[in-house]
Amino acid sequence: SYSVLPYDNFINNLVNDLMPHIEEKYSVLTGRENTYLAGFAMGGRETIFITLQRPELFGYVCAISAAPGIVPAQDSFMKHDGQMSEAEMKFAEGATEPNVFIICCGTRDSVVGTFPKQYHEILETNGSDHIWYEITGADHDNTAIKSGLYNLFKQIAYDKSASQA
């Protein structure tokens, strides 16, 4: 699985390099309430993994059409060793969890198939709060992306307006 190692290492690039660089270079709001993470396909896979590993960093998260490989799996392309076991796929005891953690996928996804739903089922079994939904008729495409981002941003806007009231 050497081909996916750069993706799996993204947690280190994000936390150690990219986030500090953005905060240093740009005038951005910091803290978990102002830090959002979203990804599609391999990005969705890494979004779930990063969220479970470093949940205290992100207030709002959306994994869209997440690719296989967080847990050991076999797809039509390769055997995935997995980044963790199914039993480990959960928030740590006492972890500060995101305000919103969405996982979604199209019902007709021809690339990742049922892997996102399997992630949902594992997280549910392991007692890790998240929102799961399927986008009727969507494939591995922009329809799924737009739906996931729309619902993520809608939740952020709702929470921000509720806190201002």
Side-chain angles (χ1 to χ4, degrees):
S1 296
Y2 293 112
S3 61
V4 299
L5 288 177
Y7 293 101
D8 293 347
N9 189 49
F10 183 66
I11 185 172
N12 296 309
N13 300 133
L14 177 67
V15 173
N16 300 330
D17 302 319
L18 190 56
M19 289 175 71
H21 175 76
I22 290 170
E23 290 177 14
E24 180 184 313
K25 185 101 172 140
Y26 302 98
S27 177
V28 294
L29 294 173
T30 58
R32 62 185 309 281
E33 296 300 316
N34 301 304
T35 306
Y36 319 139
L37 182 62
F40 172 72
M42 264 317 252
R45 164 183 158 166
E46 298 310 327
T47 293
I48 294 171
F49 177 71
I50 292 167
T51 299
L52 294 174
Q53 296 298 305
R54 297 300 306 271
E56 75 284 357
L57 296 177
F58 306 99
Y60 298 86
V61 176
C62 183
I64 306 161
S65 307
I70 297 173
V71 297
Q74 175 74 50
D75 64 16
S76 55
F77 304 104
M78 63 188 285
K79 179 180 184 280
H80 299 273
D81 296 334
Q83 296 164 284
M84 60 181 61
S85 70
E86 287 190 17
E88 294 169 322
M89 191 173 166
K90 62 184 176 183
F91 290 111
E93 187 76 30
T96 300
E97 298 178 23
N99 298 3
V100 175
F101 182 16
I102 299 170
I103 301 172
C104 62
C105 187
T107 56
R108 296 171 55 188
D109 195 307
S110 59
V111 177
V112 299
T114 60
F115 286 104
K117 187 172 190 174
Q118 291 171 27
Y119 292 149
H120 149 66
E121 291 167 350
I122 295 167
L123 289 168
E124 192 170 59
T125 297
N126 292 341
S128 290
D129 279 349
H130 65 286
I131 297 165
W132 160 253
Y133 75 94
E134 293 178 296
I135 303 107
T136 304
D139 195 347
H140 199 75
D141 61 16
N142 200 36
T143 302
I145 295 168
K146 286 191 298 188
S147 176
L149 293 178
Y150 173 80
N151 283 299
L152 177 66
F153 294 144
K154 187 170 84 171
Q155 190 62 57
I156 293 166
Y158 176 80
D159 285 4
K160 295 286 183 186
S161 66
S163 71
Q164 309 262 318

